Amino acid sequence: MAVSVPVVWFVTRGDVTVKQAAAERPAPSTAEPQKPQEASFWSPSTAVKARSRADRTPVELGMRFTAAQSGWVTGVRFYKARGDKGKHTGSLWTAGGKRLASVTFAGESASGWQEARFASPVQLRAEQLYTVSYHSADGNYVGSKGFDPVRSGPLTTTSRDAGVFGYGKSAYPSRSNPKGYNYWVDVIFRWRNRHPAPRPTRSPEPSRSPSATPAPGPDETPDPSQTAGPSQTAGPSADPSLTSSPSATPTSDQTTGPIPTGSPTGSPSATGTTRPTHDPTPTPTPSTTKTTRPTHDPSATPTPRPTRTATPAPTPSRSATPTPAPTRTGEPTPSPTRTATPKPTFSPRPTLSPDPGGGGCAGYPTPACTGVPPGTKLSMKALNEDGAAYRVTTPGAVLDGVHITGDLLVHADNVVIRNSEIDGRVINADGPDTFRFTITDSTVGPAKGCQTLPGIGQDKYTARRVHIRNHGDGFRASGDDIVIEDSYVHLCSNPQDHSDGIQTYNTGRGLTFNHNTVDQRDATDITAPIFLVDKQIVDAVITNNLVMGGTYSIQLRNGRGNLVMRGNRLVDKSWVYGPVEADCAKIDWADNSLVTIDGGYRVTSTVGPLPCKG
């Protein structure tokens, strides 16, 4: 049974500060300490009596929430409007607008609650802000005015502007209606019934560029011609497993839908389409082009959101690329769409034969001399964590020659993984705790497809001769004592990803990244093969690597202490904006050069030195 849990946290996004006061301590649970439990804000049987909306343009509808303890999101629910025959997809997003997972709804009923599960559960950090959403291709949805905070188990919606939306193709929804609408989208969350001691709150993952629309002002004046219809008091039946504010009960209102404050704004739409029936603009400025406005057309004056496919800029954007909404009169001109410089064509990658004798790579690491050694017989390891992961809880455990078809969760110290294949991720975070492990001669990632999340993380680990494949991010560095050597990373990307070979996030001391190959040329939604810009970086040694691709291929900024960048080789003209972005004065920079390579990652020529240019 879902119960309230103690939580005190602050999250700031744009000019919205979310504060949730402490709740009463939950009653003792009879559940086993490690048995997963599941919670959602509403149940599939919750009755929703809210008016259907038809905006006649695709729209993403979401809800912002946080969890008091770490856990896993397994899927998305939404309440389907009657008569909606369009395609629907569900998504989970970070506070910075990065899509963590998506799923297409199948086998839908004519109306009511719909549910879809992700291919793999997504791990959530405690006290971080996330958004769950669904995309309506036809622009049909249900909405209810008056969305006060709702709590269920460890889950809590934000105290303001929990309901969010965005028009256009599926993209991060960041705009909110001034009347506080609930768009009836829900998250399926699983966690273990543990109650750790209070700990300092970690900051939410930063957004890489402005993406949030400013919160609507309190003095919006609606269009007099759009008066509200009669209120309908019928609301959803309360689910006994959650506690919600009475105002979360929906009421019908003619001015619902995604409507932020002030004069409406958006982006160009088709000429000659109809004006939305709920546009709050009192007096539009004359326009020579007739523009489309969805019925619940959002927005006060939003901050123009830059896109990721773009002309060179000093610092590439890391935020998701929201699809612009339909243009309204009086809107600020959006930033021009940037077009990435075309990438050069590279020779095809041949099938590589192992180096004689094995045990390492004669040159730079390749798929042939990293990963599971040829001829290794693998034994299947049954998944023991929610059917999606294998969880290790024995200190000093050794996994040798195993095949894990999901994620590998390292939840004990000094675990050793070798000669093994993991189709998902290797992650050592369990709530606030992380555990030391070593992984060698192993392959991480699915044989096909692309997983957005990092292949290996978070901290206190050593990786040698590892082959990471079909991941948007290769290595995550989120703490102290990380050593990555002799490994090969081939990156992919999904729409809205920010692919990185190695990325720092709340990094600590002692990062060593030596003699690795990072190939980002086949990814399209990218940042950098080497992306080290976290302000907590202390002592990072980056040596003898072969890298290619990215916006700026090598980025090292904001660090302090012993920062070394020596002996690295960057494939000439493989980047989009430039080769380097770095705090050059702080870095021991030497013997880095631009090269050309063949299809087997062998250096064929040295083009010249690679200088450091900040």
Side-chain angles (χ1 to χ4, degrees):
M1 172 175 149
V3 292
S4 299
V5 296
V7 52
V8 177
W9 44 265
F10 294 83
V11 176
T12 300
R13 177 165 176 76
D15 61 354
V16 177
T17 299
V18 177
K19 176 183 177 182
Q20 180 64 49
E24 294 182 1
R25 183 169 296 278
S29 172
T30 58
E32 298 175 11
Q34 296 297 324
K35 184 178 180 180
Q37 299 184 72
E38 186 171 287
S40 296
F41 288 96
W42 301 280
S43 80
S45 61
T46 299
V48 177
K49 295 184 179 179
R51 184 177 175 180
S52 297
R53 312 291 170 182
D55 280 2
R56 295 186 293 277
T57 189
V59 62
E60 188 92 19
L61 301 136
M63 179 181 67
R64 301 195 300 163
F65 72 97
T66 191
Q69 64 185 75
S70 297
W72 300 80
V73 168
T74 62
V76 181
R77 291 193 190 108
F78 78 96
Y79 196 88
K80 182 177 179 179
R82 189 174 299 278
D84 184 356
K85 298 181 180 180
K87 179 181 177 182
H88 302 96
T89 56
S91 297
L92 180 70
W93 313 81
T94 67
K98 183 173 183 177
R99 196 194 309 257
L100 297 176
S102 64
V103 63
T104 299
F105 287 84
E108 297 182 19
S109 60
S111 63
W113 288 104
Q114 313 297 319
E115 179 177 311
R117 303 272 174 156
F118 297 134
S120 298
V122 180
Q123 188 174 31
L124 263 58
R125 293 187 177 187
E127 301 168 4
Q128 301 293 297
L129 186 63
Y130 296 91
T131 298
V132 61
S133 70
Y134 77 97
H135 185 258
S136 174
D138 286 353
N140 295 316
Y141 61 95
V142 295
S144 305
K145 183 176 69 173
F147 192 5
D148 284 349
V150 181
R151 174 170 293 164
S152 177
L155 300 174
T156 309
T157 62
T158 57
S159 60
R160 285 184 57 196
D161 302 326
V164 288
F165 68 92
Y167 285 116
K169 68 180 182 180
S170 182
Y172 178 60
S174 61
R175 308 164 84 175
S176 58
N177 184 299
K179 294 183 181 295
Y181 278 88
N182 177 7
Y183 301 117
W184 297 101
V185 54
D186 203 355
V187 63
I188 305 170
F189 180 75
R190 290 186 178 178
W191 83 101
R192 292 191 196 89
N193 188 42
R194 302 186 310 156
H195 304 292
R199 60 188 182 278
T201 299
R202 298 180 73 176
S203 300
E205 182 170 352
S207 175
R208 303 294 176 180
S209 71
S211 65
T213 302
D219 53 356
E220 178 199 2
T221 302
D223 189 340
S225 66
Q226 308 301 329
T227 55
S231 175
Q232 298 179 5
T233 58
S237 301
D239 186 75
S241 65
L242 59 88
T243 302
S244 62
S245 170
S247 61
T249 302
T251 57
S252 176
D253 191 287
Q254 291 280 359
T255 58
T256 72
I259 313 175
T261 62
S263 61
T265 59
S267 65
S269 180
T271 302
T273 52
T274 59
R275 178 187 177 103
T277 60
H278 302 291
D279 189 316
T281 309
T283 307
T285 302
S287 173
T288 57
T289 303
K290 200 173 182 184
T291 57
T292 299
R293 309 219 217 160
T295 37
H296 306 292
D297 191 52
S299 195
T301 307
T303 302
R305 295 192 289 267
T307 60
R308 285 192 45 80
T309 53
T311 51
T315 304
S317 170
R318 291 262 313 160
S319 70
T321 309
T323 302
T327 301
R328 262 81 74 194
T329 307
E331 167 194 27
T333 303
S335 300
T337 301
R338 301 187 299 173
T339 303
T341 303
K343 296 182 182 180
T345 302
F346 298 94
S347 57
R349 325 274 200 269
T351 302
L352 303 172
S353 57
D355 295 316
C361 300
Y364 288 103
T366 70
C369 55
T370 57
V372 179
T376 302
K377 292 184 178 180
L378 301 177
S379 60
M380 195 70 69
K381 206 75 172 172
L383 303 180
N384 62 5
E385 180 73 6
D386 201 26
Y390 180 79
R391 181 168 178 257
V392 181
T393 57
T394 303
V398 176
L399 301 179
D400 193 345
V402 301
H403 182 192
I404 296 171
T405 58
D407 293 342
L408 172 58
L409 309 181
V410 179
H411 291 175
D413 273 322
N414 303 316
V415 172
V416 175
I417 306 121
R418 59 186 179 227
N419 307 317
S420 295
E421 183 173 322
I422 297 93
D423 292 347
R425 303 182 296 149
V426 180
I427 192 79
N428 68 340
D430 184 19
D433 303 319
T434 56
F435 305 88
R436 291 187 180 276
F437 71 95
T438 298
I439 180 169
T440 58
D441 302 299
S442 295
T443 302
V444 176
K448 59 182 180 179
C450 183
Q451 292 193 8
T452 292
L453 295 172
I456 296 178
Q458 302 281 353
D459 63 356
K460 298 182 292 189
Y461 66 85
T462 296
R464 291 191 175 97
R465 298 180 301 280
V466 174
H467 177 185
I468 294 183
R469 64 187 183 186
N470 296 326
H471 274 279
D473 284 354
F475 295 94
R476 171 66 62 88
S478 295
D480 299 341
D481 304 332
I482 298 171
V483 176
I484 303 166
E485 295 181 320
D486 305 320
S487 294
Y488 170 83
V489 181
H490 186 264
L491 297 164
C492 61
S493 67
N494 294 305
Q496 311 299 329
D497 281 355
H498 307 291
S499 174
D500 301 298
I502 177 171
Q503 178 193 1
T504 53
Y505 174 55
N506 291 331
T507 303
R509 295 178 176 272
L511 169 63
T512 297
F513 194 72
N514 176 62
H515 195 241
N516 304 288
T517 299
V518 183
D519 190 345
Q520 199 175 35
R521 295 174 295 179
D522 292 331
T524 55
D525 292 55
I526 56 178
T527 302
I530 297 178
F531 186 69
L532 313 177
V533 299
D534 193 276
K535 293 182 179 180
Q536 295 173 280
I537 298 172
V538 180
D539 301 342
V541 177
I542 316 299
T543 52
N544 306 314
N545 301 288
L546 176 65
V547 299
M548 59 217 77
T551 51
Y552 291 87
S553 299
I554 297 175
Q555 298 191 46
L556 176 55
R557 294 182 280 113
N558 304 319
R560 60 188 189 278
N562 184 36
L563 304 176
V564 177
M565 186 74 68
R566 285 177 171 265
N568 299 287
R569 304 292 178 255
L570 171 57
V571 174
D572 190 33
K573 298 178 181 178
S574 62
W575 53 83
V576 176
Y577 302 145
V580 175
E581 189 180 51
D583 295 334
C584 301
K586 300 179 181 179
I587 302 170
D588 177 3
W589 186 283
D591 190 31
N592 302 294
S593 60
L594 296 171
V595 299
T596 60
I597 61 172
D598 63 15
Y601 299 98
R602 291 177 288 266
V603 174
T604 55
S605 70
T606 299
V607 177
L610 175 62
C612 185
K613 295 181 179 180

